[in-house]
Amino acid sequence: MLLNELSSLASPLSQGQVDQLKKLTAELSAVQLAWVSGYLAASANSGANVGQGAGALAQAAPEQTVTILYGSQTGNGRGVATALAAKAQAQGYAVNLTSMGDYNSRQLKQETLLLLVVSTHGEGEAPDDAMELHKFLGSKRAPKLDQLHYSVLALGDSSYEFFCQTGKDFDARLSALGAKSLLPMVECDVDYDKAADTWQEQVITAIKPHLASTSVSSASVVSINSAQESIFSKQAPYSAEVLVSQKLTGRDSDRDVRHVEIDLADSGLTYEVGDALGIWFTNNEALVDEIISSLALSADEPVTIGDNSMSLKQALIEHKELTQLNPAFVKAWAELSVNAKLLSLQDDKAALRQFILSHQVIDLVTAYPAKVDAAQFVELLRPLTPRLYSIASSQAEVEAEVHLTVALVEDERQGQTRFGGASHFLASAQEGQSVKVYVEPNKHFRLPENPDTPVIMVGPGTGVAPFRAFMQQRAVDGVSGNSWLFFGNPHFEQDFLYQTEWQQHLKNGELTRLDVAFSRDQAHKVYVQHRIKEQGRDVWQWLQDGAHLYICGDAERMAKDVHQALIEVAMEFGGLSADDAAAYLDELRSQKRYQKDVY
């Protein structure tokens, strides 16, 4: 029963008690409500006088509670933190699980046990939901934390220069404020499952001396995002059917962009606009055959993956990462091949990063030969990991389907075409082909709650995908106007993705403005950041009117160039200095009015 349905006639409470309960719960977060619910149920079962015991328990709560905070850009951190919370609760411990973005940083001084799971985004940046806490800990407002015991699990990608930097920042700042580490910080690469599991077990053991054990029935309830209640997840994906894989770009385009439709049937999977779809793919058989042949190995040779024995070929097709390199593999192959060029890369992080981006496993084994057996080779490779794609549809419009916009990753090297693993899998998928999927919520890329709030969307190339979903949702909701799309691609005739849909939204009044940048249709290249500066006066006015700003697409260059353009707009039309303009955009981000989905 909802509180607004309560009355003195419908419950054993007096009207005055109902009013007091409403007032109290109106001030509580979802996590706090769950905790109160568990406490009241436990008190009722034990016959305790709730009124008399509440004050004492509230005082004891910080000493009895394990606070687990996560900062997550793609959902991995949230998943690890949720698993940790479940394990702690199973031990009978009261647990407060929450996103760093929902956490009141001033509560830190009251914590005694704090476990953090945080990823690093881009070039050493904190993920969106960790930004405010990260900033607070580094400021003069951060309190002394002498009473706090903590542990940090840092997630990252070792192919980036600032590997696990956000986790390192949290660890260093908590220590500097006087907090005591329960365990040394653990750094996890892309294949983080085993390291994360080990850390979870160790940290559960490490907190035991600092907690008085409570019964499971009185432990507070773990707050879990409702989207995770689906029986399907990253670890247990849904086997869906591909309905359509249709080319969007023209015959003469230099790129192959696909519109992919997937049938969710009766899976019960739901998603919101702004969410991503995780795709588990298999490696191309021809690529696997080429690798095995280059290594002079037998496809049928048995190898072990975890507890399972299988052929080398099956292992490479279904379980190992072949199209994305990582520093550990390059280093190991350099030592096996004793190649001077590969060995020298280890001392130049920037050169190593570029090498990794422009090579695959097959390139190394063919260009830098080395003798290796099947078991050794499999051990060197990372586990296959799913790819996340921004969802390009609204479920309110397409119902039991989910749509994606997928650019086929392909590159010519030494006369051979090399493809991206997931994009090639989806681009070549036939109708009826099975694909394992799961929904990855992204609450940091949401339409404003108030439909009258203006939105500015910047999505060149396949970055336009979530904005197709945004516009579908707004059309279903009957929202008119106050929406502005900046789209860019090389050529108008070949690369205008979803052109007729945007034109229809304009005609219907659902899309107010559309500014396009086709970079190669004139002598000088024009990109979305140029259009933003050209329309700077209006962009600034929309922001002053409360507009929410969204960017989706390439993180390496586009997002940085657009950010710089916005700084210049704020300087020219807002009269701000460069530092004040940057601070203004930071404030928009903290207000969740400037959101990015970049990769």
Side-chain angles (χ1 to χ4, degrees), residues 135-338:
K135 185 176 179 182
F136 175 79
L137 282 173
S139 72
K140 294 181 179 179
R141 294 179 294 130
K144 285 294 182 183
L145 299 173
D146 298 331
Q147 83 293 349
L148 180 66
H149 288 81
Y150 76 96
S151 184
V152 178
L153 181 81
L155 300 174
D157 183 342
S158 61
S159 62
Y160 286 88
E161 180 178 358
F162 300 100
F163 177 55
C164 289
Q165 186 60 50
T166 305
K168 294 173 184 176
D169 291 345
F170 274 110
D171 186 55
R173 290 170 185 179
L174 287 171
S175 178
L177 293 168
K180 301 169 187 66
S181 177
L182 292 160
L183 295 171
M185 184 188 69
V186 173
E187 299 177 13
C188 294
D189 211 334
V190 173
D191 50 339
Y192 60 85
D193 290 333
K194 185 179 294 185
D197 287 344
T198 300
W199 175 77
Q200 288 171 10
E201 298 300 329
Q202 291 177 342
V203 84
I204 289 292
T205 300
I207 63 176
K208 285 183 180 180
H210 305 278
L211 278 172
S213 184
T214 60
S215 67
V216 176
S217 62
S218 65
S220 68
V221 179
V222 176
S223 173
I224 301 176
N225 189 300
S226 60
Q228 288 190 303
E229 293 173 3
S230 168
I231 61 172
F232 300 109
S233 64
K234 178 181 178 180
Q235 292 73 27
Y238 173 67
S239 290
E241 281 192 7
V242 174
L243 297 172
V244 172
S245 180
Q246 176 184 355
K247 190 176 181 184
L248 287 174
T249 44
R251 178 185 305 174
D252 298 323
S253 176
D254 62 357
R255 59 197 60 196
D256 184 342
V257 178
R258 298 283 172 143
H259 173 74
V260 179
E261 299 181 3
I262 295 172
D263 184 13
L264 298 179
D266 55 356
S267 66
L269 278 172
T270 61
Y271 59 88
E272 295 184 50
V273 295
D275 287 345
L277 191 74
I279 300 289
W280 282 100
F281 63 98
T282 53
N283 287 308
N284 182 264
E285 186 175 355
L287 173 64
V288 170
D289 288 341
E290 186 179 356
I291 290 173
I292 293 173
S293 175
S294 298
L295 293 171
L297 297 174
S298 169
D300 297 326
E301 187 166 349
V303 295
T304 301
I305 303 291
D307 297 327
N308 301 312
S309 179
M310 64 194 71
S311 70
L312 173 62
K313 184 170 182 175
Q314 181 185 354
L316 296 185
I317 288 177
E318 299 179 5
H319 297 283
K320 290 297 179 177
E321 185 65 72
L322 300 179
T323 56
Q324 288 188 350
L325 284 179
N326 63 86
F329 182 85
V330 176
K331 180 180 180 180
W333 202 257
E335 293 170 352
L336 284 169
S337 63
V338 198

Side-chain angles (χ1 to χ4, degrees), residues 274-554:
D275 287 345
L277 191 74
I279 300 289
W280 282 100
F281 63 98
T282 53
N283 287 308
N284 182 264
E285 186 175 355
L287 173 64
V288 170
D289 288 341
E290 186 179 356
I291 290 173
I292 293 173
S293 175
S294 298
L295 293 171
L297 297 174
S298 169
D300 297 326
E301 187 166 349
V303 295
T304 301
I305 303 291
D307 297 327
N308 301 312
S309 179
M310 64 194 71
S311 70
L312 173 62
K313 184 170 182 175
Q314 181 185 354
L316 296 185
I317 288 177
E318 299 179 5
H319 297 283
K320 290 297 179 177
E321 185 65 72
L322 300 179
T323 56
Q324 288 188 350
L325 284 179
N326 63 86
F329 182 85
V330 176
K331 180 180 180 180
W333 202 257
E335 293 170 352
L336 284 169
S337 63
V338 198
N339 183 273
K341 178 181 178 181
L342 290 184
L343 289 168
S344 66
L345 283 175
Q346 310 311 310
D347 300 322
D348 188 338
K349 289 185 177 180
L352 178 59
R353 169 79 175 148
Q354 289 306 310
F355 183 87
I356 285 171
L357 290 174
S358 59
H359 291 78
Q360 295 184 3
V361 170
I362 182 62
D363 301 317
L364 263 69
V365 302
T366 54
Y368 311 101
K371 186 67 177 176
V372 65
D373 62 41
Q376 186 181 10
F377 182 63
V378 166
E379 186 64 27
L380 291 175
L381 297 169
R382 273 182 177 174
L384 196 66
T385 54
R387 305 291 194 262
L388 292 177
Y389 288 92
S390 301
I391 291 175
S393 57
S394 163
Q395 205 159 20
E397 170 70 20
V398 303
E399 298 180 342
E401 296 179 8
V402 60
H403 298 176
L404 306 177
T405 311
V406 180
L408 176 63
V409 177
E410 55 182 324
D411 190 20
E412 194 81 17
R413 287 195 283 274
Q414 283 79 49
Q416 295 287 332
T417 303
R418 302 300 181 200
F419 297 103
S423 66
H424 191 232
F425 175 83
L426 289 171
S428 57
Q430 301 297 310
E431 181 180 338
Q433 183 170 325
S434 178
V435 55
K436 294 179 180 179
V437 305
Y438 63 95
V439 173
E440 188 60 66
N442 183 3
K443 69 175 184 176
H444 306 295
F445 206 75
R446 292 279 188 255
L447 280 167
E449 290 185 11
N450 182 352
D452 294 328
T453 302
V455 295
I456 302 173
M457 305 167 285
V458 183
T462 57
V464 81
F467 304 132
R468 180 177 185 263
F470 277 20
M471 293 310 301
Q472 284 186 357
Q473 186 67 50
R474 285 169 70 90
V476 169
D477 292 342
V479 179
S480 295
N482 294 331
S483 56
W484 187 353
L485 174 66
F486 287 89
F487 172 75
N489 240 353
H491 299 286
F492 170 81
E493 291 186 356
Q494 303 295 326
D495 307 307
F496 198 167
L497 308 182
Y498 302 114
Q499 177 185 358
T500 57
E501 293 185 26
W502 304 126
Q503 291 172 335
Q504 190 63 49
H505 285 307
L506 282 169
K507 181 178 179 181
N508 294 345
E510 295 143 1
L511 184 63
T512 310
R513 296 183 64 164
L514 173 64
D515 279 88
V516 294
F518 293 103
S519 58
R520 290 167 178 78
D521 278 350
Q522 58 282 311
H524 61 286
K525 293 181 179 179
V526 178
Y527 298 107
V528 286
Q529 62 266 25
H530 300 128
R531 296 296 186 223
I532 288 170
K533 289 179 66 176
E534 289 172 6
Q535 304 299 330
R537 186 179 302 279
D538 287 347
V539 169
W540 180 251
Q541 188 58 56
W542 276 53
L543 292 175
Q544 297 313 292
D545 292 340
H548 284 218
L549 177 66
Y550 303 87
I551 300 175
C552 183
D554 168 56

